[in-house]
Amino acid sequence: MADEKKAAMRRGNMVLVALALLTIVEFYIALNSPSTVLLLLLSLLKAAVVVWVFMHVYRLWRGEENHS
């Protein structure tokens, strides 16, 4: 159980860093070349990461025997 918790914390930290980096990229794009389409795509990517990782949407496609 402790290993699972460590893995979950590690994954959460990696996602946090990835979201922070995407936010920095988004900020610089908004300042230097305000491309609405590119900003929208980055926002959708960030939203998809949050939904997939933190809201556990991937569990919807698992069988009942895999739920813990």
Side-chain angles (χ1 to χ4, degrees):
M1 184 66 157
D3 290 336
E4 290 177 19
K5 193 171 188 179
K6 285 181 183 179
M9 289 294 290
R10 187 171 36 251
R11 182 176 55 241
N13 288 335
M14 289 183 345
V15 171
L16 175 71
V17 169
L19 289 174
L21 290 174
L22 284 173
T23 301
I24 291 168
V25 169
E26 195 175 27
F27 177 76
Y28 283 111
I29 289 173
L31 287 179
N32 296 323
S33 64
S35 169
T36 306
V37 173
L38 190 55
L39 290 172
L40 178 66
L41 290 174
L42 277 172
S43 297
L44 288 173
L45 176 64
K46 287 170 38 178
V49 168
V50 169
V51 167
W52 187 261
V53 175
F54 294 117
M55 299 180 86
H56 309 290
V57 171
Y58 61 88
R59 290 183 183 175
L60 293 175
W61 290 277
R62 283 186 177 176
E64 288 295 322
E65 66 278 355
N66 291 335
H67 286 249
S68 51

